[in-house]
Amino acid sequence: MSSNQELFSRARKLMPGGVNSPVRAFKSVGGEPFFSVRAEGAFLWDAEGRRYIDYVGSWGPMILGHAHPAVIEAVLKTARDGLSFGTPNPLEVEMAEVLIDLVPALEMIRMVNSGTEATMSAIRLARGHTGRSRVVKFEGCYHGHGDTFLVKAGSGMLTLGVPTSPGVPAGLADLTLTLPFNDFDAADALFAAQGSEIAALILEPIIGNANLILPSPGFLAHLRALCSQHGVLLIFDEVMTGFRVAPAGAQQLYGIEPDLSTFGKIIGGGMPVGAYGGRRDLMEQIAPSGPIYQAGTLSGNPVAMAAGLATLAQLRAPDFYSRLQASTTRLCDGLQAAADAAGVAFSCNAVCGMFGLFFSDEPVHSYAAAMRSDGARFNRFFHGMLERGIYFAPSAYEAGFISAAHSDALIDTTIEAAREVFAGL
Ligand code: KE4
């Protein structure tokens, strides 16, 4: 078996940065990525046989832990009957029923193949429905790599320090207006000035792509009211938060009904899946029932549907979310106590199943505060933990993810390792 280094050396000659998605490249934390060859439960194993406790979970999908038996069995069983039909199949009907049953704001839904496709399609629908062109997003939010969103975006763009991407025509970038998250006055001022020209406001209701930033009390309700007042569609991008932070995502946690929602990650159980949906009067405007076009060869793929359905079925366990919340709290409280004991300026933002680690002596409630946190110290922490077999997101601007497979013993092991690393920071 090739070593991680040999694999990366080959990869860099063949793929940009040696990866198929930038955030995997360890660009901001330094060093070289490892190549995973197997995963099970809370663990990843790399090409050299090294085992890691994994707090990335494929960037969100692996809420059950890796290779859950029920998910693997569903994939194998479905695959034996064929991989893709190019016709409708019963499993996509079942997936639509499950998602619409789980999320009250969903009256209709369309399956796609990634979170990016979901958000791109939702914006096209909003522009087609309203006849308006402008879109509002928030600094630090990442909604995939669609041109409209690559303006002051988060995730890999923040990691690489290029929050606005070259290649996006100025004319298009100008149509994307950005606001500071949790800033009520800035939102009021923008809507007062341009509300009648805005097709949609899209946001991560909990930002997971500028590390983790929670909405201020009342902020989401304020945006809901502004959008309703100005005929602007409110789009919750729940690709990351959907079915993680609560059974029906952040919209359930905060009691807000968006006009459209986007999903991904968990609903594919590790297979390529995205979805967008919401009000029936909006979704019926999507081809072929309406004129707004969107399509996809592998949308509703039966094997991907099987993986997603098997995952969603496990989430229905009566105490699933209370246990996931307890694990998240155990981890974050333990890390905070370890940092405090070492006198390290550290804070942890957390919500069920997700967390954000900040090397900062101020609580982080804004993008600006997140940017003021000590990235160099995070990088030293990241490598110190990696050396001890614990894998956090390789970027100070990404959220962490915990799964049902992260036992108290593994969390306590993580905290013990952090005690050593904090002491050396
Ligand atoms: P994908 O196109 O990567 O499936 O989804 C895009 C997307 C949309 N909306 C939100 C809120 C997201 O978090 C994402 C993707 N998240 C990143 C992690 N920060 C994916 C990891 C990657 O780019 O490799």
Side-chain angles (χ1 to χ4, degrees):
M1 169 75 74
S2 301
S3 72
N4 292 315
Q5 196 169 19
E6 286 163 348
L7 285 162
F8 196 49
S9 169
R10 284 163 52 197
R12 276 194 299 207
K13 299 187 185 88
L14 304 166
M15 294 169 277
V19 292
N20 282 310
S21 198
V23 76
R24 305 175 190 170
F26 280 30
K27 268 269 197 203
S28 72
V29 292
E32 296 188 350
F34 59 85
F35 284 65
S36 300
V37 296
R38 187 167 80 85
E40 186 174 351
F43 300 113
L44 289 171
W45 282 266
D46 72 12
E48 296 166 16
R50 195 173 297 116
R51 188 189 79 168
Y52 305 91
I53 301 174
D54 174 24
Y55 286 100
V56 178
S58 184
W59 303 96
M62 311 321 289
I63 191 170
L64 304 181
H66 290 285
H68 188 286
V71 179
I72 298 299
E73 178 47 40
V75 167
L76 294 175
K77 177 176 177 295
T78 305
R80 287 192 194 98
D81 291 334
L83 299 179
S84 178
F85 308 131
T87 69
N89 73 83
L91 290 176
E92 55 194 338
V93 180
E94 190 179 334
M95 174 64 89
E97 286 171 339
V98 165
L99 294 177
I100 289 166
D101 176 57
L102 277 171
V103 184
L106 295 181
E107 294 178 328
M108 287 194 100
I109 195 141
R110 169 61 63 86
M111 304 311 297
V112 293
N113 300 284
S114 69
T116 295
E117 273 193 80
T119 56
M120 283 170 61
S121 307
I123 291 297
R124 183 179 308 132
L125 171 53
R127 285 170 161 156
H129 171 73
T130 61
R132 303 174 180 178
S133 300
R134 294 194 186 288
V135 167
V136 178
K137 71 177 289 292
F138 288 88
E139 288 171 342
C141 282
Y142 177 71
H143 303 293
H145 64 87
D147 283 347
T148 294
F149 308 119
L150 298 187
V151 177
K152 294 185 185 176
S155 185
M157 298 187 63
L158 210 47
T159 296
L160 299 176
V162 188
T164 299
S165 173
V168 178
L172 185 56
D174 291 347
L175 295 176
T176 300
L177 308 168
T178 54
L179 283 173
F181 192 66
N182 282 334
D183 187 328
F184 291 70
D185 295 341
D188 288 347
L190 178 64
F191 273 73
Q194 304 189 57
S196 61
E197 300 169 47
I198 299 168
L201 179 148
I202 185 169
L203 80 159
E204 297 176 60
I206 297 168
I207 298 186
N209 287 289
N211 206 311
L212 189 132
I213 302 171
L214 297 171
S216 297
F219 185 63
L220 299 178
H222 190 73
L223 296 177
R224 174 67 278 176
L226 275 176
C227 286
S228 300
Q229 183 188 343
H230 291 270
V232 175
L233 295 187
L234 176 62
I235 303 174
F236 269 21
D237 178 355
E238 297 228 43
V239 167
M240 196 180 266
T241 54
F243 314 101
R244 174 169 287 278
V245 301
Q251 53 196 273
Q252 177 183 22
L253 201 59
Y254 295 103
I256 303 291
E257 186 162 309
D259 299 300
L260 292 172
S261 304
T262 57
F263 302 102
K265 297 181 192 279
I266 285 171
I267 66 169
M271 301 292 281
V273 178
Y276 66 103
R279 287 171 26 200
R280 181 178 297 277
D281 68 306
L282 298 175
M283 293 302 292
E284 284 184 335
Q285 297 179 56
I286 294 289
S289 56
I292 302 170
Y293 199 71
Q294 180 271 311
T297 301
L298 296 176
S299 299
N301 175 274
V303 181
M305 295 297 98
L309 284 165
T311 299
L312 292 168
Q314 295 295 319
L315 302 183
R316 289 181 180 267
D319 59 351
F320 184 91
Y321 288 92
S322 57
R323 284 189 287 116
L324 191 64
Q325 178 62 69
S327 297
T328 312
T329 302
R330 186 183 189 99
L331 175 69
C332 291
D333 287 356
L335 292 175
Q336 188 64 62
D340 293 348
V344 172
F346 176 85
S347 69
C348 203
N349 285 345
V351 65
C352 181
M354 286 172 69
F355 58 89
L357 310 180
F358 294 95
F359 286 85
S360 167
D361 51 13
E362 61 174 319
V364 178
H365 302 307
S366 69
Y367 171 77
M371 298 308 289
R372 288 195 294 268
S373 66
D374 187 338
R377 212 166 202 193
F378 170 84
N379 294 349
R380 294 197 299 276
F381 171 80
F382 170 83
H383 282 290
M385 295 299 278
L386 194 65
E387 285 158 20
R388 290 165 175 78
I390 295 154
Y391 177 51
F392 284 109
S395 163
Y397 307 112
E398 293 285 354
F401 301 93
I402 197 163
S403 80
H406 286 80
S407 64
D408 287 355
L410 290 178
I411 291 168
D412 294 348
T413 299
T414 303
I415 293 161
E416 276 319 301
R419 274 188 213 289
E420 293 174 17
V421 175
F422 280 132
L425 283 185

